[in-house]
Every structure is written in structure tokens, then in C-alpha cells.
Amino acid sequence: MLAIILLKYIALVVLAVVLVAFLAACVFLYRLHSRYDHLPGPERTSFFMGNASEFRSAIERQIPFIQRMLELQQEFGPVFVIFIFHQAFVSVADPATVKELLMNDIHTKPDSYKVLCELYGVRFMGKGLVTEQDHSKWYNHRKIFNPAFHRKHLMGLMSYFNTSSDKLVLKLKEDVDTGKAVPLMDGISRTTLDVIAKAGFGMTQELILDESPFVEAVETSFQGMRNQLRKPYDLVCLETLNLFTTFSVSHLFSRKLIIILSFSDLSFTLEV
């Protein structure tokens, strides 16, 4: 009899804790939504999931994330907000607003930037201008890079832009002659990579007209980055359930990063 009473008491306590947690989550989400109500954005499809189901649907329809964000920007303007579960993401495409956000320490980068530092335990972007969350450190790094972004220096790099653009036009002409649909995203991505590689790192390899293991390695690395952003729990599952798989994935990205670094004129050492 005592055991039954104790079980009922425990069940009531558990039910009360679950109810309190549920109410706390509702209050938190309500306050989060109210905080950003003044910003335009797509209507939330779910109170708890926000716009998550909409973006999952876009992924299943093979619509690139950037394309979907561009569509939202065209619909709601340069500044809008989306909600993914318990997080609000404000998209900013206005140059003046972007400058204001980057040049002060009021709006710091969220913890999601930590995902870009490593790919499945392998160093990727590390602590640089893109990933650094400490504004004072970021500001010091940015001051060091200021000369590289000076107008005179950038004007001197126009030959790289022009050469890569001409190669892209040549490749597109060849693709058009086949009568098949041309994936512009691939061509533009290769051209961007070619310009950055040559202007920023002094590479001489052909990345637009020819197939290169460097391009494949970069694509694999960015695919890993997207996977970690979309499914951050995968790494935890791999570490706890299958250490061999985790080692295999880490070894894969180590080999891809070695390929990337081997094409640069700089020297690096990685332990694999």
C-alpha cells in the first residue's frame, strides 16, 4: 500500500515538473517572439518550431538555403527575422546596418559560429575574422587586415577578377553548346574560389575550366560545415555510439584539408 502511494506521489511530482517545464518553454518562446515582433519576416508555421519546417521543406525540394534567404529578402526587405525552434535569426543585407553591427561590440556573434571552427574534430576556420566572437580580438585582427582591403590594393587585383570572369564566360559558352541546363551556382562558386585562391593565396592551379581535387576538397569541407549546422547532434551521436565512424569522418576531413593546404604556397603541418 505504501509503495503504491509512493509511486503515485512520484508520478505527480514528475507530471508537475513536466508541466512547469512546458509552461516555462511557452513563456520563453512568447517573450522571444514578442521581442522581435517589430521586424518583418515570414509567418511562423508552428509556435514551437517557428520556421524550421519551412526550411526543411526547402531542403527536401533541393532549394539552396541562400536562394530561399534571397527570396525572403525580396519579399520582406533587407532586414527580416526567422525563428528556428528557440532561436531567432535576424538576416541583414543593408550595407550600412552590416557596418554598424560589425563595428561595435553590442551585438556579438552567437555560439553557432563555433561550429565553423572545427569540422568533426578537425580544425577548419579556427579563430579568425569569420569565427572570432570576442569583439576586441576581432577588432585587432581586422586592423591588421585593413591594408589588404584598401581601395588601391583591391584595384590592383582587378586583373584576377577579369581573368576568372573571362574563363567563366568561356566555360558557360561551352556548356550552352551542349543544349543542357547550366548550373550557374557551380560556375559562380568556382569563379569565386578561383579569385580568392589566386588573389589571396597566390595559387596558380586552374579551378574553373579543369577538374581539381582542391575544388572537391573545398566542397566536402563546406558540406561538412552545413551538416554540422543543420544537425549539430550528429557529432555527439557519433562520439557516443560509434568511435570508429567518428575517426573515419575526422580522418576524411583531415585528408581534405591537407589537399586544400597542399595547393597553397604556404607551408602547414597537420597531424592525422
Side-chain angles (χ1 to χ4, degrees):
M1 188 67 178
L2 182 61
I4 296 176
I5 296 175
L6 183 61
L7 287 175
K8 289 182 177 179
Y9 177 76
I10 294 175
L12 288 174
V13 171
V14 171
L15 182 61
V17 170
V18 171
L19 182 60
V20 170
F22 176 76
L23 292 176
C26 291
V27 172
F28 172 80
L29 289 175
Y30 175 78
R31 294 186 63 182
L32 178 70
H33 296 163
S34 301
R35 183 179 180 184
Y36 294 93
D37 272 347
H38 63 289
L39 294 177
E43 184 178 354
R44 296 183 295 274
T45 55
S46 168
F47 178 78
F48 292 101
M49 297 179 63
N51 305 105
S53 58
E54 176 186 350
F55 282 90
R56 178 176 291 275
S57 175
I59 292 173
E60 292 173 350
R61 289 181 282 125
Q62 297 184 342
I63 298 177
F65 177 78
I66 294 230
Q67 178 179 332
R68 183 59 190 139
M69 293 297 286
L70 177 60
E71 293 171 353
L72 292 175
Q73 178 187 328
Q74 293 172 341
E75 182 178 355
F76 296 103
V79 179
F80 63 89
V81 62
I82 59 174
F83 296 91
I84 306 296
F85 295 104
H86 64 289
Q87 291 185 316
F89 296 89
V90 179
S91 174
V92 180
D94 177 63
T97 308
V98 171
K99 180 179 180 180
E100 177 66 23
L101 291 174
L102 291 178
M103 296 307 293
N104 66 65
D105 57 355
I106 299 176
H107 306 281
T108 57
K109 294 177 180 178
D111 289 339
S112 56
Y113 275 83
K114 293 180 180 179
V115 177
L116 307 179
C117 297
E118 294 183 349
L119 290 181
Y120 296 96
V122 181
R123 186 180 184 275
F124 184 46
M125 290 188 176
K127 290 287 187 178
L129 285 178
V130 176
T131 57
E132 182 59 66
Q133 294 176 277
D134 188 325
H135 186 269
S136 60
K137 293 182 180 179
W138 176 90
Y139 184 74
N140 290 332
H141 292 167
R142 184 65 177 85
K143 286 178 63 177
I144 295 173
F145 278 94
N146 272 342
F149 294 98
H150 194 276
R151 176 180 173 81
K152 290 184 178 180
H153 179 69
L154 293 177
M155 291 300 294
L157 301 176
M158 285 305 298
S159 59
Y160 294 107
F161 288 83
N162 294 333
T163 302
S164 298
S165 300
D166 291 341
K167 290 180 180 179
L168 174 62
V169 172
L170 179 62
K171 179 174 176 57
L172 291 177
K173 286 182 178 179
E174 295 175 354
D175 293 338
V176 168
D177 292 338
T178 63
K180 298 180 180 178
V182 179
L184 290 178
M185 181 69 74
D186 178 65
I188 294 174
S189 299
R190 282 174 175 266
T191 304
T192 304
L193 181 62
D194 189 68
V195 171
I196 294 174
K198 288 180 170 60
F201 300 96
M203 291 176 52
T204 58
Q205 286 73 22
E206 177 55 55
L207 304 180
I208 300 177
L209 300 177
D210 300 333
E211 294 299 325
S212 170
F214 179 80
V215 176
E216 180 188 354
V218 172
E219 290 177 348
T220 302
S221 299
F222 275 93
Q223 181 62 48
M225 180 185 71
R226 288 193 294 269
N227 289 344
Q228 281 196 169
L229 287 172
R230 293 174 182 171
K231 301 178 181 179
Y233 52 82
D234 279 359
L235 181 59
V236 178
C237 294
L238 288 174
E239 290 178 344
T240 54
L241 299 178
N242 195 332
L243 295 178
F244 177 77
T245 305
T246 306
F247 173 78
S248 301
V249 172
S250 298
H251 189 64
L252 166 66
F253 285 109
S254 294
R255 288 188 285 110
K256 294 300 182 183
L257 291 176
I258 289 175
I259 291 174
I260 293 174
L261 297 177
S262 67
F263 278 86
S264 173
D265 290 342
L266 304 176
S267 297
F268 294 87
T269 301
L270 281 179
E271 295 182 1
V272 182

